[in-house]
Amino acid sequence: MKSRRIGKSELIVSEIGYGAWEIGGAGWESGSEDESVDIVRKAFDNGITFFDTAPVYGFGRSERIVGKALKKVRDRAFIATKVGLVWDDSGKVRKCLKKNSILTEIDESLRRLQTDYVDLYQIHWPDNETPAQETAEALQMVLQSKKARYIGVSNYSAEQMKELSSYVPLISLQPPYSMLDRRVEKDILPYVCEQGMSAIPYSPLAKGLLTGRINGDYKVGPGDARGLDKNFTDHDRFLRNIERIEKLKEIARELEISLSQLAIKWLLYRPEICSVIAGTTSEKHLKDNTRAAEWQLSDQTYEKVTRIVSDKELFE
Ligand SMILES: NC(=O)c1ccc[n+]([C@@H]2O[C@H](COP(=O)([O-])OP(=O)(O)OC[C@H]3O[C@@H](n4cnc5c(N)ncnc54)[C@H](OP(=O)(O)O)[C@@H]3O)[C@@H](O)[C@H]2O)c1
């Protein structure tokens, strides 16, 4: 498994990472806690060293599973978690990046993860109610106490990154990015490159669309994590995605690889991408995704694929 450095940090992580939202359960069909622990261990055994989780994934469940699974190999695994989405007893989630909330959240994450530090601490979503300076002060305290090695952000615009990084150093951005969602290419990825940061694309398989397992009859059910994603909820766009996927599948067939591998490799073609964190609850899918590390995407194929996913709507 090849590795890449996150920004200018000392973190050198596997190109294929592991996204732990799915094992949190909420919004996804996941297995039992033991099965989920097993899949995270299998990810590590298959060469994955970078694991992305968050407190809100299953309200602590995902972090607990990641912590349990990686406890014995903690010194060889990189754990990224997040901060800034808190929930109440009724399960209502809200954004909060206030100083005291961050200082409480980090301790709760470390307890669930059974560790005394995380490698990367990422702001999950911006909170417009809290001044960036206050948030940065708390993050500096987290760094100084060595509870986190580095700070990153997720779902931030270039302007928001610029403001926050004037108070605290940022090494990475985790944006939504895939062949079916290219919005970040306009000014967010250029900013990331200019600053020497890295990007960690989330929903790299467009929540399963870029695996070929979803067909035109798919209906988003209640509680389905896809219910807030316009690649699914805008029905005309959804059907155009299915057409694009048929063309992409044809290329994958010619290359004798899976569509998921093509989607992962297409992201890794850009040097600013450090790791692709596809989420899975299945050993078969995990192995399929990991195999993307075994072959090279030629410039010619990259361009052929890119032409199929170049319509204006994928940038909006
Ligand atoms: N920062 C944020 O705001 C944010 C938002 C969303 C996600 N994320 C992170 O990004 C990670 C991944 O994104 P995502 O959860 O949106 O979804 P994704 O990785 O784009 O897609 C996951 C879906 O694809 C399926 N899948 C994965 N590999 C497959 C394969 N080889 N063949 C067939 N199906 C396959 C999974 O089902 P199976 O379980 O059956 O394999 C699951 O339904 C998350 O786990 C999380 O860590 C972050």
Side-chain angles (χ1 to χ4, degrees):
M1 172 77 71
K2 287 198 194 121
S3 297
R4 295 188 185 187
R5 188 181 296 278
I6 309 188
K8 294 174 189 157
S9 77
E10 287 175 356
L11 308 181
I12 299 176
V13 300
S14 56
E15 282 184 347
I16 315 291
Y18 180 82
W21 183 13
E22 284 69 7
I23 55 165
W28 301 97
E29 282 175 25
S30 68
S32 68
E33 190 150 331
D34 284 348
E35 284 165 339
S36 300
V37 168
D38 193 49
I39 196 83
V40 176
R41 287 199 180 130
K42 290 218 163 82
F44 183 80
D45 294 342
N46 277 276
I48 290 177
T49 62
F50 185 57
F51 297 83
D52 178 73
T53 181
V56 77
Y57 297 163
F59 298 148
R61 187 176 194 261
S62 172
E63 283 191 331
R64 276 196 304 277
I65 289 168
V66 169
K68 193 169 173 188
L70 299 178
K71 199 173 173 195
K72 289 201 179 124
V73 295
R74 179 67 190 92
D75 55 334
R76 287 175 287 148
F78 297 93
I79 299 179
T81 193
K82 308 191 187 79
V83 60
L85 289 184
V86 295
W87 60 92
D88 63 19
D89 291 343
S90 69
K92 190 165 177 277
V93 176
R94 66 184 172 90
K95 295 170 181 161
C96 181
L97 290 173
K98 300 230 175 293
K99 186 173 166 187
N100 286 343
S101 184
I102 292 177
L103 297 178
T104 304
E105 272 209 73
I106 183 69
D107 288 337
E108 286 171 359
S109 285
L110 295 180
R111 179 179 48 77
R112 287 189 289 257
L113 287 163
Q114 301 189 50
T115 183
D116 48 13
Y117 71 96
V118 290
D119 298 281
L120 180 61
Y121 204 40
Q122 306 161 107
I123 293 181
H124 207 150
W125 278 89
D127 161 22
N128 297 328
E129 311 281 299
T130 310
Q133 202 169 352
E134 175 180 340
T135 299
E137 205 180 307
L139 294 173
Q140 286 286 12
M141 288 170 75
V142 170
L143 287 174
Q144 274 154 19
S145 59
K146 298 200 176 354
K147 292 177 181 173
R149 294 176 68 188
Y150 295 96
I151 304 297
V153 290
S154 181
N155 299 301
Y156 263 50
S157 67
E159 263 170 50
Q160 287 164 329
M161 284 188 274
K162 195 170 172 193
E163 187 188 12
L164 188 67
S165 64
S166 67
Y167 304 116
V168 65
L170 303 176
I171 63 162
S172 60
L173 165 72
Q174 190 178 126
Y177 186 34
S178 73
M179 293 199 281
L180 298 179
D181 181 354
R182 300 182 58 191
R183 288 171 295 170
V184 288
E185 288 182 26
K186 195 167 164 248
D187 35 51
I188 294 183
L189 286 185
Y191 178 83
V192 164
C193 288
E194 190 190 294
Q195 298 301 311
M197 295 165 64
S198 290
I200 304 162
Y202 78 68
S203 302
L205 302 176
K207 299 197 176 78
L209 267 174
L210 287 167
T211 68
R213 66 191 279 179
I214 289 172
N215 63 28
D217 298 331
Y218 187 82
K219 297 267 176 300
V220 177
D224 186 331
R226 299 171 179 99
L228 292 172
D229 187 331
K230 65 179 171 188
N231 267 327
F232 289 88
T233 53
D234 174 340
H235 193 63
D236 293 336
R237 178 170 171 154
F238 172 73
L239 293 178
R240 284 190 289 275
N241 281 332
I242 298 292
E243 281 171 28
R244 291 176 186 117
I245 284 162
E246 285 310 313
K247 293 183 194 156
L248 295 169
K249 272 186 187 167
E250 190 54 45
I251 298 179
R253 254 194 302 272
E254 281 166 20
L255 296 171
E256 297 180 358
I257 52 157
S258 67
L259 178 57
S260 316
Q261 289 178 35
L262 185 63
I264 291 170
K265 232 28 201 222
W266 183 84
L267 289 166
L268 285 169
Y269 188 83
R270 284 177 170 259
E272 68 270 36
I273 306 297
C274 58
S275 186
V276 176
I277 51 167
T280 182
T281 56
S282 138
E283 184 177 357
K284 182 168 163 241
H285 297 162
L286 176 74
K287 288 200 163 139
D288 177 22
N289 299 343
T290 315
R291 274 196 290 275
E294 292 167 13
W295 56 275
Q296 285 305 315
L297 179 63
S298 69
D299 297 346
Q300 208 185 9
T301 309
Y302 177 80
E303 271 146 33
K304 196 169 159 190
V305 168
T306 305
R307 275 196 294 276
I308 297 171
V309 292
S310 287
D311 314 68
K312 203 165 148 261
E313 73 175 348
L314 300 180
F315 294 87
E316 288 166 353

